[in-house]
Amino acid sequence: MNRLNRRNFLRSTAVASGALLAIEGFRARGMLDRFGIGRAIARAANGSYGPLVPKPSNNTGETLLALPEGFRYNVFGRVGTPMADGRLTPGLHDGMAAFSVNGMIHLVRNHEQTGGSPTSQAIGNRPYDPRAAGGTTTLVVDPITRSLVYDFVSLSGTVRNCAGGPTPWGTWISCEETIVGPSQTNAFTQKHGYAFEVSAASYAEVSPIPLKAMGRFSHEALAVDPATGIVYETEDANPAGFYRFVPNRPGGPGRPAELAAGGTLQMLAIKNSPRYDTRTGQTMGRQLQTVWVDISDPDPNLEAGATSVFNQGLARGGCIFARLEGCWYGDGSIFFVSTSGGNIGKGQIWQYTPAGADEGVLALLYESTDAAVLESPDNICISPRGGIVLCEDGNGTDYVRGLTRQGEVFDFAYRLNSTVEAAGATFSPDGKTLFFNYQGTGETFAVWPRDGYSWEDGAL
């Protein structure tokens, strides 16, 4: 069943500080024309690719997904299957990104496993914490056949690797959604709550280095602005903050950053409105002028009672969000998700656009007013054509949905006979294949248009 929300964004032509506005259905700065998506919407006015129907997978014949008629899919990377490095594929697949490496697609995939018991064991050989069960795997996929050709553990010994984000210099930063540390109630050997960088090009497990200057908090996702090298980070908590890390040695396309060399962690605040609360009572399209406040202790010793990163930022007037999750860069802006934000608590989509070194504009792009249309969005990605993909983590069936430039939500896929979380949506670098995971069933899917169909037939 295809459920549409025909709720349009407010119309406006005003521009503040040169920022991209969350108005006029995302049409600002010519993104529709730039990516050809304007023609797509002309052909499919509601953005949808059509009703979803159960379909057998292209490579195994199993009927696992419901998709629009014009699409096919492969399934691979399943929990428990042997990998090329001799280990078994870990479970709880979560955030993910795709990279082009020597003509192949490299998917770096998170695993939101915990561990912490005396009998738990890291999934790899070079763990940060031998009692931590989370980490990442890397999957090498043929871009023509969309089949898996090689896979291995690329990071181990971390906890609850939920999301993260790709960098312009070809790495994945994997984030721990926790603040646990050694205590009498677990067997962890290290403090957790950090981000770790993983090379997408390497065929070996990395030596894990916690990026402590980027903050110790319950991380979710991040996005890097390629123009500045600034890293934007979300916090999965309620209340939560939205942060940025300004590296001492920033990177960009083809120029690796040295994130371990430190930098400044800051929290977003609304100008002249200290402790502004975004969780309810917001207006779609309204522009909020922003500033950043410094976090003096980004790596607090929470076990000794140090003040959390969030409370440090709040004390300086930081902005309050509800459960920030997915985060992605697109055309000069950072798009991020509040999973439980909004008047009915079913989700908000935010856009932050920098305007100068220390200021910017925050705008609410979308707020769910009906759980049947959108419930608890989590991971997010922006397609090469400018569309927005949302992965649900709510009650009942969790969909992969699209958000059009007109502010309409449409269904794109769901896992049959399951109520598990959708996660990890990411497009291949050439834009031809959409990859995503279903967490509880432990699978990765590759979806692409069959002959005679195109991504431009809809809004993704």
Side-chain angles (χ1 to χ4, degrees), residues 83-233:
M83 294 186 291
D85 64 2
R87 303 182 182 96
L88 297 181
T89 302
L92 297 180
H93 305 8
D94 211 292
M96 186 167 65
F99 304 83
S100 179
V101 180
N102 297 324
M104 304 296 280
I105 299 169
H106 283 210
L107 294 171
V108 187
R109 181 182 63 191
N110 275 5
H111 295 273
E112 196 181 354
Q113 300 188 147
T114 300
S117 72
T119 58
S120 65
Q121 185 175 354
I123 61 175
N125 289 331
R126 307 169 73 181
Y128 169 68
D129 184 335
R131 297 301 185 194
T136 67
T137 54
T138 297
L139 296 79
V140 181
V141 178
D142 187 303
I144 305 301
T145 64
R146 282 91 170 178
S147 59
L148 179 67
V149 298
Y150 194 81
D151 52 353
F152 60 97
V153 171
S154 45
L155 172 71
S156 67
T158 50
V159 175
R160 292 185 61 85
N161 296 70
C162 193
T167 71
W169 50 91
T171 65
W172 167 256
I173 301 179
S174 182
C175 295
E176 294 184 309
E177 186 196 22
T178 184
I179 52 172
V180 297
S183 73
Q184 294 178 346
T185 60
N186 64 51
F188 290 120
T189 65
Q190 302 288 338
K191 294 190 297 183
H192 294 272
Y194 300 114
F196 296 80
E197 190 165 20
V198 180
S199 169
S202 174
Y203 281 80
E205 185 179 344
V206 301
S207 296
I209 299 173
L211 301 172
K212 296 184 177 182
M214 289 178 62
R216 185 188 182 197
F217 55 88
S218 185
H219 286 268
E220 178 69 22
L222 58 81
V224 182
D225 184 341
T228 62
I230 293 174
V231 183
Y232 294 87
E233 308 176 73

Side-chain angles (χ1 to χ4, degrees), residues 13-67:
T13 57
V15 176
S17 302
L20 174 63
L21 304 184
I23 320 276
E24 185 57 26
F26 297 106
R27 291 180 184 274
R29 297 175 70 169
M31 288 178 67
L32 291 180
D33 293 337
R34 175 179 174 185
F35 293 112
I37 200 167
R39 296 188 299 277
I41 291 175
R43 289 196 294 271
N46 61 20
S48 170
Y49 293 90
L52 307 190
V53 294
K55 298 175 73 69
S57 68
N58 198 56
N59 63 331
T60 71
E62 302 165 278
T63 302
L64 302 174
L65 288 183
L67 289 170

Side-chain angles (χ1 to χ4, degrees), residues 30 78 156 217 412 426:
R78 286 169 145 166
S156 67
F217 55 88
F412 180 76
T426 183

Side-chain angles (χ1 to χ4, degrees), residues 294-314:
D294 289 345
I295 303 298
S296 58
D297 182 10
D299 184 22
N301 186 0
L302 301 173
E303 291 74 13
T307 303
S308 70
V309 166
F310 174 81
N311 283 331
Q312 291 177 57
L314 188 66

Side-chain angles (χ1 to χ4, degrees), residues 107-435:
L107 294 171
V108 187
R109 181 182 63 191
N110 275 5
H111 295 273
E112 196 181 354
Q113 300 188 147
T114 300
S117 72
T119 58
S120 65
Q121 185 175 354
I123 61 175
N125 289 331
R126 307 169 73 181
Y128 169 68
D129 184 335
R131 297 301 185 194
T136 67
T137 54
T138 297
L139 296 79
V140 181
V141 178
D142 187 303
I144 305 301
T145 64
R146 282 91 170 178
S147 59
L148 179 67
V149 298
Y150 194 81
D151 52 353
F152 60 97
V153 171
S154 45
L155 172 71
S156 67
T158 50
V159 175
R160 292 185 61 85
N161 296 70
C162 193
T167 71
W169 50 91
T171 65
W172 167 256
I173 301 179
S174 182
C175 295
E176 294 184 309
E177 186 196 22
T178 184
I179 52 172
V180 297
S183 73
Q184 294 178 346
T185 60
N186 64 51
F188 290 120
T189 65
Q190 302 288 338
K191 294 190 297 183
H192 294 272
Y194 300 114
F196 296 80
E197 190 165 20
V198 180
S199 169
S202 174
Y203 281 80
E205 185 179 344
V206 301
S207 296
I209 299 173
L211 301 172
K212 296 184 177 182
M214 289 178 62
R216 185 188 182 197
F217 55 88
S218 185
H219 286 268
E220 178 69 22
L222 58 81
V224 182
D225 184 341
T228 62
I230 293 174
V231 183
Y232 294 87
E233 308 176 73
T234 58
E235 180 177 25
D236 190 352
N238 190 10
F242 181 60
Y243 305 95
R244 74 173 188 178
F245 175 66
V246 184
N248 291 334
R249 299 175 183 174
R255 187 183 73 256
E258 296 182 37
L259 299 176
T264 302
L265 183 68
Q266 299 175 312
M267 183 175 175
L268 187 73
I270 303 304
K271 196 172 186 177
N272 300 322
S273 297
R275 301 190 180 190
Y276 184 90
D277 195 333
T278 70
R279 291 176 290 186
T280 58
Q282 302 306 297
T283 301
M284 286 197 295
R286 179 188 176 194
Q287 300 169 57
L288 300 169
Q289 304 298 317
T290 65
V291 294
W292 294 92
V293 296
D294 289 345
I295 303 298
S296 58
D297 182 10
D299 184 22
N301 186 0
L302 301 173
E303 291 74 13
T307 303
S308 70
V309 166
F310 174 81
N311 283 331
Q312 291 177 57
L314 188 66
R316 295 190 173 188
C319 185
I320 302 169
F321 293 91
R323 282 195 63 197
L324 292 186
E325 303 227 22
C327 186
W328 207 268
Y329 171 85
D331 197 55
S333 290
I334 308 298
F335 300 86
F336 62 99
V337 171
S338 170
T339 290
S340 58
N343 292 341
I344 69 167
K346 296 302 180 182
Q348 299 165 318
I349 315 299
W350 292 91
Q351 179 183 17
Y352 171 77
T353 305
D358 298 311
E359 297 187 354
V361 173
L362 178 70
L364 178 63
L365 293 184
Y366 184 88
E367 179 173 308
S368 177
T369 59
D370 184 348
V373 174
L374 180 66
E375 182 179 14
S376 304
D378 191 320
N379 286 178
I380 183 176
C381 79
I382 312 299
S383 85
R385 291 156 293 275
I388 296 181
V389 182
L390 302 169
C391 296
E392 286 188 325
D393 180 17
N395 298 315
T397 300
D398 286 325
Y399 284 74
V400 177
R401 303 193 194 258
L403 175 60
T404 75
R405 298 287 178 179
Q406 280 66 43
E408 298 169 342
V409 171
F410 65 92
D411 303 340
F412 180 76
Y414 67 88
R415 175 65 163 84
L416 297 167
N417 304 313
S418 175
T419 58
V420 299
E421 171 186 350
T426 183
F427 275 88
S428 59
D430 64 8
K432 295 179 179 179
T433 306
L434 174 63
F435 298 95

